[in-house]
Amino acid sequence: IIGLFLRKVGYIAAQTKHIHEALTKREENVGIILDGIAGMFQTHTNEETAYVLKRKGIVKIALRAGVPIVPVYAFGHTSAWTVVVDPFGILESLSNKFGASLSPFFGRFGWFLGPPRRIPTTICLGDPIACPKVDEP
């Protein structure tokens, strides 16, 4: 039911096939958070860490589609929720295995799975990076 609702409002699966189709056949813009599961388990509220060096797949997709990449980062977002992280990394391992986050969190008012705290965030947008169309990058 949740997946059906998300698809109705425009969400697509974070898989190469679906992203490439949205960019080329439907000519839509696609926003992707590159941190993925690793970013969800980032709990250092006084330190910003972006997990992008190993995320080269999105560049390959952009090159195959011949579309620009617009870099975006939100500073301060790690303070919006308190994520429960087990010291053994079991939840992160299971999340990676299932391809979905199993990270319990607390939001505003200390509510379990609650809305984000009202905190200042700064969203930075870079200039578009042109990607020429390449069949096999």
Side-chain angles (χ1 to χ4, degrees), residues 38-54:
M40 293 175 195
F41 286 92
Q42 177 182 323
T43 59
H44 308 291
T45 56
N46 60 347
E47 179 181 307
E48 296 284 340
T49 305
Y51 297 88
V52 295
L53 293 179
K54 295 182 181 178

Side-chain angles (χ1 to χ4, degrees), residues 1-57:
I1 295 176
I2 294 172
L4 178 65
F5 170 75
L6 291 174
R7 284 189 296 279
K8 289 288 184 190
V9 296
Y11 282 78
I12 61 172
Q15 298 170 336
T16 301
K17 172 184 158 187
H18 299 288
I19 296 168
H20 190 269
E21 181 180 291
L23 291 170
T24 56
K25 293 180 183 170
R26 297 193 309 254
E27 296 183 353
E28 296 176 344
N29 294 321
V30 177
I32 299 173
I33 299 171
L34 294 181
D35 285 359
I37 291 170
M40 293 175 195
F41 286 92
Q42 177 182 323
T43 59
H44 308 291
T45 56
N46 60 347
E47 179 181 307
E48 296 284 340
T49 305
Y51 297 88
V52 295
L53 293 179
K54 295 182 181 178
R55 312 287 193 212
K56 298 177 182 116

